[in-house]
Amino acid sequence: MNLDLPGVVARYFEADRRRDPDAVIAQFTDDAAVTDEGQTRRGAAEILAWLRGPASQYQYTITLLGAETTGADTVLVTGRLEGNFPGGTADLKWRFTLAGDRIRQLEIAP
């Protein structure tokens, strides 16, 4: 599916698809926060540790299903993960809060 994503959001998913943590972290502001599985990581060092640790624990693919702008600087993306993690599939929402052409906050939740 070809979605009309802001450039930074498209770059985030492309870097994630390549499993390139350095390219992913480059999309975030220095003081960004990421919340995933109920845990919040703040700042580049914590987010990079998450990308290289828990976020890289399993092999998966993401199929993006939809995207909508929900505020002046907020984008909600829906998609499905499929991989070798418990359960094998998960429908998720990625809520991006942007600061110009970078990500200030990302919340990942079912």
Side-chain angles (χ1 to χ4, degrees):
M1 173 176 260
N2 186 10
L3 302 176
D4 186 22
L5 298 174
V8 67
V9 174
R11 289 189 301 273
Y12 167 87
F13 283 111
E14 175 58 26
D16 182 71
R17 184 192 62 75
R18 294 189 325 263
R19 305 295 188 267
D20 185 345
D22 293 322
V24 172
I25 197 65
Q27 306 312 311
F28 288 89
T29 62
D30 293 338
D31 61 347
V34 172
T35 302
D36 181 40
E37 295 183 349
Q39 289 192 289
T40 300
R41 283 83 175 182
R42 298 185 188 285
E46 285 186 18
I47 295 170
L48 195 53
W50 166 72
L51 289 167
R52 290 183 175 153
S56 68
Q57 185 175 3
Y58 300 104
Q59 297 298 314
Y60 58 86
T61 59
I62 299 173
T63 302
L64 299 180
L65 302 173
E68 64 179 298
T69 301
T70 58
D73 60 355
T74 307
V75 177
L76 179 65
V77 178
T78 57
R80 173 167 284 176
L81 259 68
E82 296 182 73
N84 64 347
F85 52 87
T89 62
D91 291 331
L92 295 179
K93 296 178 183 175
W94 293 261
R95 182 176 308 278
F96 294 88
T97 303
L98 307 179
D101 65 347
R102 310 253 326 263
I103 300 165
R104 181 177 53 223
Q105 184 171 348
L106 171 57
E107 299 170 46
I108 305 169

